[in-house]
mmCIF file of all heavy atoms in Angstrom:
data_model
loop_
_atom_site.group_PDB
_atom_site.id
_atom_site.type_symbol
_atom_site.label_atom_id
_atom_site.label_comp_id
_atom_site.label_asym_id
_atom_site.label_seq_id
_atom_site.Cartn_x
_atom_site.Cartn_y
_atom_site.Cartn_z
ATOM 1 N N PHE A 588 65.215 -31.458 -51.584
ATOM 2 C CA PHE A 588 63.886 -31.022 -52.005
ATOM 3 C C PHE A 588 63.671 -31.249 -53.500
ATOM 4 O O PHE A 588 62.644 -31.804 -53.923
ATOM 5 C CB PHE A 588 63.719 -29.538 -51.653
ATOM 6 C CG PHE A 588 62.482 -28.903 -52.222
ATOM 7 C CD1 PHE A 588 61.229 -29.164 -51.708
ATOM 8 C CD2 PHE A 588 62.577 -28.031 -53.295
ATOM 9 C CE1 PHE A 588 60.092 -28.567 -52.236
ATOM 10 C CE2 PHE A 588 61.448 -27.431 -53.837
ATOM 11 C CZ PHE A 588 60.204 -27.707 -53.301
ATOM 12 N N LEU A 589 64.638 -30.846 -54.311
ATOM 13 C CA LEU A 589 64.489 -30.963 -55.761
ATOM 14 C C LEU A 589 64.495 -32.426 -56.204
ATOM 15 O O LEU A 589 63.745 -32.808 -57.113
ATOM 16 C CB LEU A 589 65.612 -30.194 -56.456
ATOM 17 C CG LEU A 589 65.592 -28.669 -56.228
ATOM 18 C CD1 LEU A 589 66.786 -28.023 -56.914
ATOM 19 C CD2 LEU A 589 64.299 -28.062 -56.745
ATOM 20 N N GLU A 590 65.351 -33.239 -55.597
ATOM 21 C CA GLU A 590 65.364 -34.664 -55.964
ATOM 22 C C GLU A 590 64.028 -35.319 -55.616
ATOM 23 O O GLU A 590 63.543 -36.188 -56.353
ATOM 24 C CB GLU A 590 66.517 -35.347 -55.238
ATOM 25 C CG GLU A 590 67.894 -34.970 -55.807
ATOM 26 C CD GLU A 590 69.024 -35.600 -55.021
ATOM 27 O OE1 GLU A 590 68.752 -36.143 -53.930
ATOM 28 O OE2 GLU A 590 70.179 -35.519 -55.482
ATOM 29 N N HIS A 591 63.451 -34.904 -54.507
ATOM 30 C CA HIS A 591 62.130 -35.429 -54.153
ATOM 31 C C HIS A 591 61.084 -34.995 -55.182
ATOM 32 O O HIS A 591 60.203 -35.771 -55.554
ATOM 33 C CB HIS A 591 61.747 -34.936 -52.756
ATOM 34 C CG HIS A 591 60.353 -35.306 -52.348
ATOM 35 N ND1 HIS A 591 60.001 -36.577 -51.949
ATOM 36 C CD2 HIS A 591 59.200 -34.569 -52.295
ATOM 37 C CE1 HIS A 591 58.715 -36.619 -51.661
ATOM 38 N NE2 HIS A 591 58.197 -35.407 -51.865
ATOM 39 N N MET A 592 61.199 -33.760 -55.633
ATOM 40 C CA MET A 592 60.230 -33.234 -56.594
ATOM 41 C C MET A 592 60.244 -34.031 -57.899
ATOM 42 O O MET A 592 59.200 -34.446 -58.401
ATOM 43 C CB MET A 592 60.511 -31.758 -56.892
ATOM 44 C CG MET A 592 60.248 -30.798 -55.737
ATOM 45 S SD MET A 592 58.566 -30.867 -55.110
ATOM 46 C CE MET A 592 58.827 -31.875 -53.635
ATOM 47 N N ILE A 593 61.454 -34.241 -58.459
ATOM 48 C CA ILE A 593 61.499 -34.936 -59.751
ATOM 49 C C ILE A 593 61.214 -36.425 -59.597
ATOM 50 O O ILE A 593 60.853 -37.097 -60.561
ATOM 51 C CB ILE A 593 62.874 -34.722 -60.434
ATOM 52 C CG1 ILE A 593 64.000 -35.342 -59.611
ATOM 53 C CG2 ILE A 593 63.143 -33.242 -60.660
ATOM 54 C CD1 ILE A 593 65.352 -35.300 -60.306
ATOM 55 N N GLU A 594 61.366 -36.916 -58.371
ATOM 56 C CA GLU A 594 61.046 -38.330 -58.153
ATOM 57 C C GLU A 594 59.538 -38.553 -58.152
ATOM 58 O O GLU A 594 59.040 -39.495 -58.777
ATOM 59 C CB GLU A 594 61.652 -38.789 -56.826
ATOM 60 C CG GLU A 594 61.350 -40.251 -56.511
ATOM 61 C CD GLU A 594 61.931 -40.671 -55.176
ATOM 62 O OE1 GLU A 594 62.691 -39.871 -54.579
ATOM 63 O OE2 GLU A 594 61.619 -41.787 -54.736
ATOM 64 N N VAL A 595 58.792 -37.674 -57.447
ATOM 65 C CA VAL A 595 57.343 -37.854 -57.364
ATOM 66 C C VAL A 595 56.633 -37.256 -58.566
ATOM 67 O O VAL A 595 55.505 -37.646 -58.883
ATOM 68 C CB VAL A 595 56.791 -37.227 -56.068
ATOM 69 C CG1 VAL A 595 57.386 -37.900 -54.848
ATOM 70 C CG2 VAL A 595 57.057 -35.732 -56.027
ATOM 71 N N GLU A 596 57.265 -36.311 -59.239
ATOM 72 C CA GLU A 596 56.634 -35.673 -60.384
ATOM 73 C C GLU A 596 57.680 -35.472 -61.474
ATOM 74 O O GLU A 596 58.321 -34.420 -61.550
ATOM 75 C CB GLU A 596 56.024 -34.332 -59.983
ATOM 76 C CG GLU A 596 55.248 -33.646 -61.096
ATOM 77 C CD GLU A 596 54.122 -34.502 -61.628
ATOM 78 O OE1 GLU A 596 53.307 -35.003 -60.838
ATOM 79 O OE2 GLU A 596 54.092 -34.709 -62.855
ATOM 80 N N PRO A 597 57.898 -36.483 -62.332
ATOM 81 C CA PRO A 597 58.932 -36.351 -63.380
ATOM 82 C C PRO A 597 58.676 -35.173 -64.315
ATOM 83 O O PRO A 597 59.609 -34.692 -64.962
ATOM 84 C CB PRO A 597 58.833 -37.689 -64.121
ATOM 85 C CG PRO A 597 58.184 -38.629 -63.154
ATOM 86 C CD PRO A 597 57.247 -37.799 -62.348
ATOM 87 N N ARG A 598 57.462 -34.703 -64.401
ATOM 88 C CA ARG A 598 57.154 -33.582 -65.295
ATOM 89 C C ARG A 598 57.275 -32.233 -64.586
ATOM 90 O O ARG A 598 56.544 -31.298 -64.881
ATOM 91 C CB ARG A 598 55.753 -33.735 -65.862
ATOM 92 C CG ARG A 598 55.586 -34.960 -66.746
ATOM 93 C CD ARG A 598 54.189 -35.012 -67.323
ATOM 94 N NE ARG A 598 54.008 -36.177 -68.177
ATOM 95 C CZ ARG A 598 52.872 -36.483 -68.804
ATOM 96 N NH1 ARG A 598 51.823 -35.683 -68.668
ATOM 97 N NH2 ARG A 598 52.793 -37.558 -69.554
ATOM 98 N N SER A 599 58.177 -32.157 -63.656
ATOM 99 C CA SER A 599 58.387 -30.889 -62.963
ATOM 100 C C SER A 599 58.882 -29.830 -63.939
ATOM 101 O O SER A 599 59.339 -30.125 -65.046
ATOM 102 C CB SER A 599 59.393 -31.067 -61.825
ATOM 103 O OG SER A 599 58.898 -31.977 -60.861
ATOM 104 N N SER A 600 58.825 -28.579 -63.497
ATOM 105 C CA SER A 600 59.203 -27.471 -64.377
ATOM 106 C C SER A 600 60.691 -27.510 -64.692
ATOM 107 O O SER A 600 61.494 -28.146 -63.994
ATOM 108 C CB SER A 600 58.842 -26.140 -63.716
ATOM 109 O OG SER A 600 59.586 -25.971 -62.527
ATOM 110 N N GLN A 601 61.065 -26.793 -65.747
ATOM 111 C CA GLN A 601 62.470 -26.753 -66.158
ATOM 112 C C GLN A 601 63.340 -26.096 -65.112
ATOM 113 O O GLN A 601 64.517 -26.451 -64.976
ATOM 114 C CB GLN A 601 62.578 -25.993 -67.489
ATOM 115 C CG GLN A 601 61.908 -26.719 -68.651
ATOM 116 C CD GLN A 601 61.974 -25.933 -69.937
ATOM 117 O OE1 GLN A 601 62.146 -24.719 -69.916
ATOM 118 N NE2 GLN A 601 61.815 -26.627 -71.055
ATOM 119 N N GLY A 602 62.759 -25.139 -64.352
ATOM 120 C CA GLY A 602 63.551 -24.494 -63.320
ATOM 121 C C GLY A 602 64.035 -25.472 -62.267
ATOM 122 O O GLY A 602 65.151 -25.339 -61.738
ATOM 123 N N VAL A 603 63.207 -26.468 -61.938
ATOM 124 C CA VAL A 603 63.611 -27.480 -60.959
ATOM 125 C C VAL A 603 64.801 -28.267 -61.481
ATOM 126 O O VAL A 603 65.809 -28.481 -60.777
ATOM 127 C CB VAL A 603 62.420 -28.406 -60.644
ATOM 128 C CG1 VAL A 603 62.858 -29.571 -59.774
ATOM 129 C CG2 VAL A 603 61.308 -27.622 -59.970
ATOM 130 N N TYR A 604 64.737 -28.700 -62.713
ATOM 131 C CA TYR A 604 65.833 -29.492 -63.291
ATOM 132 C C TYR A 604 67.097 -28.649 -63.443
ATOM 133 O O TYR A 604 68.205 -29.133 -63.172
ATOM 134 C CB TYR A 604 65.400 -30.064 -64.648
ATOM 135 C CG TYR A 604 64.528 -31.290 -64.527
ATOM 136 C CD1 TYR A 604 63.143 -31.177 -64.431
ATOM 137 C CD2 TYR A 604 65.071 -32.567 -64.504
ATOM 138 C CE1 TYR A 604 62.327 -32.294 -64.315
ATOM 139 C CE2 TYR A 604 64.271 -33.693 -64.384
ATOM 140 C CZ TYR A 604 62.907 -33.562 -64.298
ATOM 141 O OH TYR A 604 62.109 -34.670 -64.167
ATOM 142 N N ASP A 605 66.957 -27.414 -63.877
ATOM 143 C CA ASP A 605 68.145 -26.570 -64.052
ATOM 144 C C ASP A 605 68.848 -26.325 -62.719
ATOM 145 O O ASP A 605 70.078 -26.368 -62.627
ATOM 146 C CB ASP A 605 67.741 -25.239 -64.682
ATOM 147 C CG ASP A 605 67.262 -25.410 -66.113
ATOM 148 O OD1 ASP A 605 67.622 -26.430 -66.728
ATOM 149 O OD2 ASP A 605 66.519 -24.537 -66.603
#
Side-chain angles (χ1 to χ4, degrees):
F588 171 74
L589 295 178
E590 288 177 349
H591 174 76
M592 291 303 101
I593 64 174
E594 179 181 352
V595 298
E596 185 58 51
R598 296 183 180 179
S599 298
S600 63
Q601 294 178 338
V603 173
Y604 281 89
D605 292 338

